[in-house]
Amino acid sequence: MDDSPLDELAVQLRTLRAQRGLSVEGLRLRSGLGRTTVSQALNGTRVPSEATVVALARALKTDFGPLLALRRQACPEPVVGLRSAEAARGGLSFEERYRRFVAEVHGRLTVVGLDLSRPDRSGWPLDAAYLSLELAHMPERSWAGDEGPETAVVVRRAEQALAGRHRVLLKGLAGSGKTTLLQWLAVAAASGTLPEELAELRQRVPFVLPLRSLVRRGCLPGPEGFVAATAAALAASQPDGWVDSVLTERGILLIDGVDEVPVEQRQSARDWLDGLLAAYPDLRVYVTTRPSAVPEGWLAHKDFAELTVRPMTAVDTSVFIGRWHTAARRNADGQEEQAHLGELEVALRTAVRAQRDLAQLSTTPLMCALICALHRERRGHLPHGRMELYAAALSMLLVRRDYERGIAVPEGIRLTEQQSMRLLQRLAYWLIRNAQTEMDHSTALALLADALPAMPSVAEQGGADQVLQHLIGRTGLLRTPAAGTVDFVHRTFQDYLGAQAAIEGMDLPLLVNHAHDDQWEDVIRMAVAHARPQEAAALLTGLVHRGDREETHRARLHLLAAASLHYATEVDTETRELVGGRAEAWLPPRSPEETDALAALGPGVLDLLPRTAHGLESDEASAVIRTAAKIGGDQAYELLRHIAPTLPETDLGSEFALSQGWVNFDAHEYAQDLLLPRLLRSPLSDLTVHTPEQLDALSLLPPLRRVTFRGSFTARDIARRLSPEHTEEVKIYEGEALEHIRFVRDLTALRHLALAGCEQITGLDDLAGLPLPQLCLVKTPALFRFDTLTELPGLTHLELFTALPWKDLTELRVHGDLTELVFGATVSVSLRGLSRFRDLRTLVGNQPLTAEDWDEISSLPGLTTLRLGDSLAHAPVLPDITTLSAYCESAELAIDVIPDRFPGLTSLSLGHRMGFTLDLTPLVVMPGLHVTVSGPRAVGVDKFPPGKVTLYPRPRTPLRPADNLNP
């Protein structure tokens, strides 16, 4: 009897494990799964979840597509739906029909170049094609000042990154896979096949709302119009009140393409979304956009987490290449072509690994598909560079495939490559000029009809309707996403062709005038690439001079010119120097805000960054590292390899940035190439571990003194990677899998322990009697027993970033005398009882202070350092305070009271929301004071002696009047 699909799946997993030389424990660590889960999958005792299969496949470095196919054969999952009385009679309820409609409509992906001669073969099933990419998340700091636990970018696969997040703003560059991710969520939710991490969404009903289509039709629809807007064929059958009922309890909104909404309409789109969330607070909402289309925190007021699609890793690229060629082989005509495709697949995998420029291009699904298609068409030969790749792809898509297949006159129309390009340019340029990404069928016909009189050789073959049908059916570039609409199969092709049309139409002023609009960003760069030398120089110079005139857009325009310069084939020296000189005013970056702005410009900005830290200030070096890490990819990795050895040993900020960048690259390579040399030079460095791969890579490094764990690690995982005699600081964040903390007793050198999100740790009994001096508790479980703080006899430094069970501090009990006490923003207790801690030297608090709180503070005889998240207006006289930090989001800081209330002050740090201005003039009377200002603008700085005021970010040198040249 043949093995069942479940047995076959288990056999394949066991075989792969043996071939890779992994023990069961090793496989568990690499996959990040539990022992029972791995054991059941290997033994075939239970059908594993899709997420489990994917995790095991990645750990075994194999394509998970065939394994998922076996898994689905073993456990076909029915469509989830609520049956009505109609269903009980043997029919389908409206909801079941709607779910099937969503799964059918969004269940296939169009794959560039898969088989152009057969439109029916131009796609593949989503469940076989979907590739789970990595998403990066920067957690929000929920406390003020610089004393809280550090935040770090967390990178996880899409399923893990989305788990537990009810509202997400997903950012990604063109072709990065944002829309595909929404398609997968829609299909998997509609069919009930979401992985375990997203099981909470299985009973929910998805609504896919492409903003580009909805905005073009006028006002964005209300809930009652969702079905009519996205599933018109079912609209007549929609029961009254059905959408309202679904959205109230179990709806998912998948909103695609904020960047495809004209800039002037984005606020209206946000208001529309705000209204929906106000009416339906339980909605799960996922929104996509290009990074540069909206500012950071655009939806933060509605508790949206911002996730960014990471570039494909080398493993992702290899898997994608395998799947593309597998799909192509299924469509191949005969065994000879199948064998040839197998040879091409092997050759392309080798080429991508060996050729740096090819690896840099293949980091998004779109570009990887183009490369696969071109590699097949050109019998293994590929062009170099992004623009050459686009040009070759267009040639392939427009004519070569039909010619080589002998399909000379399809639909009675035969167009040359140049004729097709002209017509497509006209359509693309209309879309760009009108801030649209799709047009009415009638508009497309009108544009083509207007062009045909000047193209008699085309007009004599047929009318505009026939030409449009040919362009849709044969080029692979146009499609009809809905009845009566036309758009480009991908925005990249629209921008490429539109930029070409702009250059040929000599519309350089139009390009310059729209350069501040993120929708024109790629158009500008491609226009520079298309332009002749004089045109490129004029366009780049125009960007620079407009930036000189307009302070609001100055940084963006100058940096866009610099990023676009890389695309120019030939530009005179004078223009290069002009563009480079303006870019130098903004480079290297100095702050997180500048880092984000640069990273949003994409990989091209890497060419503008220095490859050495020599001559850089610490804030510049760390910002360069963060920018490269945020962009990711092989080119960014090479930059980090060059800059890392040049960092000063004392530059802790850059060292921290380098350690955080680890999560964005291959764990073992990064550890060997970048971390090991730094740790050998500077043994005091700390490191953050996010993934099982990183945990495994710690074996390549010397013993760490300070290590942070962010991820689902058990006590055994953590303990086996720590050196008892070397480890001085351990921070465990996101510690849901941590069962106990007994291993801490073996760490004889430990001085600082931080625990965050450790749901299974309800007390400190495991540490009873340890002389641990420093403890930080973040997001403790509801039943945490704070009375166990008395179990630590040596505790002097306590940080509490968690809700407390008391109204005031009279119930806070510790064994010894605290010298430092830190409260996070989540702490709302009164400070009554604080004066009991007579040895307190440092106090950090973020809550608003009452008069009673100030009395408690003034009663502390040895207090010298005070860091607050409130106004100083009601502060008493505190002559012993020498170090003061104050941050205030909504009220005045009351700087004018500082000289009288804090006469002994020598160090002052001030912060406020961005865009606010602080007047430092009242502080001039304190000659021994050093002031640091973070975030807002400051006036009165010129009244202080040199070196007495530090501004962060450090201000840029303003553009000199002599440099403000007009064209």
Side-chain angles (χ1 to χ4, degrees):
M1 182 177 180
D2 293 338
D3 289 340
S4 70
L6 180 58
D7 292 336
E8 177 61 23
L9 175 61
V11 168
Q12 289 199 25
L13 289 172
R14 291 197 300 269
T15 301
L16 288 165
R17 181 183 68 80
Q19 291 174 348
R20 303 297 186 267
L22 288 173
S23 64
V24 175
E25 180 64 14
L27 178 58
R28 186 189 70 78
L29 288 172
R30 285 180 179 271
S31 64
L33 300 170
R35 294 182 182 85
T36 302
T37 301
V38 173
S39 177
Q40 289 175 339
L42 292 175
N43 295 324
T45 56
R46 182 179 178 182
V47 178
S49 70
E50 289 192 354
T52 295
V53 173
V54 172
L56 289 171
R58 290 205 175 97
L60 294 165
K61 296 185 177 180
T62 190
D63 184 1
F64 50 73
L67 298 178
L68 280 177
L70 284 171
R71 188 260 173 203
R72 287 165 188 148
Q73 292 176 36
C75 183
E77 299 198 40
V79 171
V80 178
L82 301 179
R83 290 190 173 272
S84 63
E86 175 191 357
R89 295 192 298 269
L92 292 176
S93 71
F94 177 79
E95 182 166 319
E96 288 172 315
R97 292 174 61 202
Y98 175 78
R99 286 180 180 272
R100 290 192 175 188
F101 178 89
V102 170
E104 177 70 22
V105 168
H106 298 287
R108 286 186 68 81
L109 281 181
T110 299
V111 183
V112 177
L114 188 59
D115 194 337
L116 299 176
S117 67
R118 292 282 302 275
D120 59 306
R121 295 180 177 182
S122 64
W124 53 10
L126 180 67
D127 59 355
Y130 174 68
L131 179 65
S132 176
L133 299 178
E134 292 179 334
L135 306 182
H137 175 238
M138 170 62 85
E140 292 286 337
R141 292 179 72 97
S142 58
W143 45 85
D146 55 0
E147 296 299 313
E150 70 272 12
T151 59
V153 175
V154 178
V155 176
R156 293 195 177 97
R157 289 290 166 180
E159 296 82 7
Q160 288 79 27
L162 295 175
R165 302 190 190 282
H166 295 170
R167 299 174 181 178
V168 171
L169 178 62
L170 182 66
K171 295 183 174 183
L173 299 174
S176 61
K178 305 184 297 296
T179 300
T180 302
L181 176 56
L182 288 198
Q183 279 187 252
W184 173 77
L185 281 171
V187 172
S191 57
T193 57
L194 285 163
E196 292 299 326
E197 293 92 334
L198 300 174
E200 184 265 341
L201 301 179
R202 286 179 182 166
Q203 299 296 327
R204 291 184 172 266
V205 180
F207 296 91
V208 183
L209 303 175
L211 288 179
R212 59 183 172 274
S213 300
L214 302 180
V215 168
R216 187 180 57 81
R217 297 172 187 173
C219 295
L220 292 169
E224 69 284 350
F226 284 179
V227 174
T230 61
L234 297 177
S237 304
Q238 177 183 335
D240 291 341
W242 178 75
V243 174
D244 178 73
S245 173
V246 167
L247 296 181
T248 300
E249 298 178 353
R250 49 196 173 84
I252 307 175
L253 290 190
L254 302 167
I255 301 172
D256 190 29
V258 171
D259 55 289
E260 296 174 344
V261 175
V263 173
E264 62 273 12
Q265 296 183 40
R266 288 178 194 163
Q267 181 59 47
S268 297
R270 186 167 73 161
D271 293 343
W272 167 77
L273 178 56
D274 286 350
L276 289 172
L277 293 173
Y280 304 103
D282 193 45
L283 264 179
R284 304 300 187 259
V285 185
Y286 305 89
V287 183
T288 71
T289 182
R290 290 192 192 186
S292 57
V294 297
E296 293 290 327
W298 191 63
L299 293 176
H301 67 294
K302 289 297 183 180
D303 298 323
F304 274 73
E306 291 193 359
L307 304 182
T308 302
V309 181
R310 298 290 304 165
M312 290 166 61
T313 66
V315 174
D316 293 332
T317 300
S318 180
V319 170
F320 189 98
I321 291 171
R323 292 187 179 186
W324 193 97
H325 286 86
T326 297
R329 282 193 291 271
R330 291 173 183 167
N331 295 345
D333 296 325
Q335 294 184 352
E336 182 177 348
E337 187 176 359
Q338 289 180 349
H340 179 59
L341 283 164
E343 295 169 359
L344 288 174
E345 177 183 347
V346 173
L348 184 56
R349 287 182 195 270
T350 302
V352 169
R353 285 195 302 267
Q355 298 178 30
R356 178 171 171 266
D357 57 343
L358 196 56
Q360 292 172 3
L361 289 173
S362 60
T363 56
T364 68
L366 172 67
M367 294 302 295
C368 203
L370 275 179
I371 288 169
C372 290
L374 282 170
H375 190 255
R376 177 186 185 182
E377 287 296 305
R378 296 186 165 209
R379 300 291 191 262
H381 299 285
L382 286 168
H384 296 282
R386 188 173 299 272
M387 296 300 288
E388 291 84 352
L389 187 67
Y390 290 149
L394 286 169
S395 176
M396 173 192 70
L397 294 168
L398 292 175
V399 293
R400 287 191 60 204
R401 188 69 172 182
D402 279 353
Y403 284 171
E404 293 181 9
R405 293 291 180 104
I407 307 172
V409 192
E411 297 93 27
I413 300 289
R414 176 172 180 171
L415 302 180
T416 67
E417 181 176 345
Q418 285 302 313
Q419 289 169 338
S420 296
M421 291 280 281
R422 293 288 183 187
L423 295 170
L424 290 167
Q425 284 174 17
R426 180 175 286 257
L427 301 179
Y429 200 29
W430 184 94
L431 289 169
I432 292 169
R433 291 197 316 272
N434 289 277
Q436 302 291 324
T437 55
E438 65 180 34
M439 64 178 66
D440 291 331
H441 193 269
S442 58
T443 302
L445 287 175
L447 289 168
L448 295 178
D450 186 55
L452 289 182
M455 305 175 71
S457 63
V458 176
E460 66 186 16
Q461 299 183 55
D465 54 345
Q466 291 173 281
V467 173
L468 179 59
Q469 187 59 42
H470 169 82
L471 293 175
I472 293 172
R474 305 309 308 171
T475 66
L477 288 172
L478 290 182
R479 63 181 180 180
T480 53
T485 63
V486 177
D487 73 353
F488 281 82
V489 70
H490 200 278
R491 176 73 176 271
T492 296
F493 296 124
Q494 174 186 308
D495 290 347
Y496 180 97
L497 291 165
Q500 198 170 26
I503 292 297
E504 292 177 2
M506 296 182 291
D507 280 340
L508 301 186
L510 181 70
L511 292 170
V512 172
N513 290 336
H514 284 85
H516 66 283
D517 186 341
D518 61 88
Q519 287 193 327
W520 288 70
E521 188 175 292
D522 284 344
V523 179
I524 300 292
R525 283 188 279 204
M526 292 185 186
V528 173
H530 285 304
R532 292 180 289 269
Q534 288 185 333
E535 294 167 334
L539 179 52
L540 293 169
T541 303
L543 294 174
V544 167
H545 289 318
R546 185 185 168 201
D548 290 350
R549 294 191 302 271
E550 301 179 19
E551 183 177 1
T552 302
H553 303 303
R554 182 172 297 159
R556 177 177 180 82
L557 294 170
H558 286 175
L559 290 172
L560 179 58
S564 302
L565 183 62
H566 174 69
Y567 283 72
T569 303
E570 179 184 347
V571 173
D572 63 88
T573 303
E574 183 179 355
T575 301
R576 287 185 177 276
E577 291 177 350
L578 176 67
V579 173
R582 291 301 190 272
E584 287 177 2
W586 305 103
L587 294 171
R590 295 177 176 176
S591 68
E593 293 76 22
E594 293 178 353
T595 290
D596 292 339
L598 279 174
L601 292 173
V605 82
L606 292 169
D607 294 314
L608 308 178
L609 298 178
R611 298 168 69 84
T612 175
H614 296 315
L616 298 183
E617 298 292 337
S618 176
D619 57 350
E620 294 172 333
S622 61
V624 168
I625 293 169
R626 286 190 171 92
T627 302
K630 190 164 188 175
I631 292 172
D634 289 345
Q635 187 180 359
Y637 188 74
E638 286 302 309
L639 187 149
L640 293 177
R641 287 187 63 182
H642 279 84
I643 200 172
T646 67
L647 294 172
E649 294 182 20
T650 56
D651 187 353
L652 298 181
S654 297
E655 199 159 277
F656 179 73
L658 193 67
S659 70
Q660 296 305 310
W662 190 18
V663 74
N664 301 323
F665 302 95
D666 179 86
H668 287 76
E669 287 185 5
Y670 199 94
Q672 188 73 44
D673 296 341
L674 297 171
L675 299 179
L676 179 59
R678 294 293 299 168
L679 289 169
L680 292 176
R681 291 171 54 195
S682 180
L684 293 178
S685 299
D686 58 1
L687 201 58
T688 301
V689 180
H690 297 84
T691 66
E693 289 78 14
Q694 291 180 335
L695 188 72
D696 189 44
L698 290 182
S699 62
L700 303 173
L701 305 175
L704 298 171
R705 298 196 180 187
R706 299 194 294 272
V707 60
T708 298
F709 296 90
R710 287 184 179 272
S712 184
F713 298 117
T714 66
R716 186 175 183 275
D717 295 333
I718 294 172
R720 70 190 187 90
R721 291 304 184 191
L722 299 178
S723 170
E725 63 272 18
H726 293 93
T727 305
E728 299 175 357
E729 183 177 290
V730 174
K731 299 177 182 178
I732 303 171
Y733 298 148
E734 305 172 33
E736 295 87 351
L738 192 68
E739 321 94 309
H740 63 81
I741 50 176
R742 291 190 295 273
F743 63 89
V744 173
R745 307 189 70 86
D746 298 326
L747 305 178
T748 56
L750 190 69
R751 293 188 53 78
H752 182 99
L753 175 66
L755 301 172
C758 302
E759 294 295 328
Q760 301 181 63
I761 309 300
T762 58
L764 304 173
D765 310 78
D766 289 344
L767 309 182
L770 282 184
L772 181 69
Q774 300 178 12
L775 177 68
C776 176
L777 298 175
V778 184
K779 295 181 182 178
T780 57
L783 299 178
F784 189 86
R785 292 177 290 111
F786 287 92
D787 59 313
T788 54
L789 287 169
T790 59
E791 303 286 351
L792 302 176
L795 188 64
T796 60
H797 176 117
L798 178 61
E799 301 178 27
L800 298 170
F801 293 90
T802 185
L804 298 176
W806 324 303
K807 294 182 179 179
D808 55 49
L809 298 183
T810 57
E811 299 183 61
L812 173 59
R813 296 284 185 268
V814 294
H815 187 282
D817 295 318
L818 293 178
T819 60
E820 186 165 352
L821 185 58
V822 179
F823 294 111
T826 55
V827 178
S828 58
V829 298
S830 163
L831 295 185
R832 190 164 70 91
L834 178 69
S835 55
R836 294 182 297 117
F837 302 103
R838 309 300 291 175
D839 292 327
L840 207 62
R841 300 289 181 269
T842 299
L843 175 66
V844 180
N846 288 267
Q847 69 273 37
L849 299 177
T850 65
E852 184 181 16
D853 292 336
W854 280 114
D855 288 340
E856 291 284 339
I857 291 173
S858 64
S859 300
L860 295 169
L863 191 68
T864 59
T865 299
L866 188 59
R867 304 183 189 277
L868 301 173
D870 195 18
S871 171
L872 302 173
H874 303 293
V877 177
L878 297 171
D880 296 325
I881 299 295
T882 59
T883 301
L884 175 66
S885 295
Y887 175 90
C888 193
E889 181 67 29
S890 57
E892 295 286 348
L893 279 172
I895 293 175
D896 57 312
V897 309
I898 291 177
D900 293 331
R901 313 277 177 89
F902 301 92
L905 208 58
T906 59
S907 176
L908 173 64
S909 296
L910 299 172
H912 211 288
R913 63 185 182 275
M914 294 297 291
F916 192 83
T917 299
L918 295 179
D919 185 359
L920 305 183
T921 304
L923 305 176
V924 174
V925 298
M926 305 179 73
L929 182 64
H930 185 276
V931 183
T932 300
V933 179
S934 299
R937 293 182 296 177
V939 297
V941 178
D942 57 326
K943 297 179 172 62
F944 287 79
K948 285 296 185 179
V949 178
T950 300
L951 303 180
Y952 182 83
R954 283 190 296 122
R956 297 285 182 182
T957 302
L959 189 68
R960 299 189 304 274
D963 290 336
N964 194 358
L965 305 175
N966 290 311

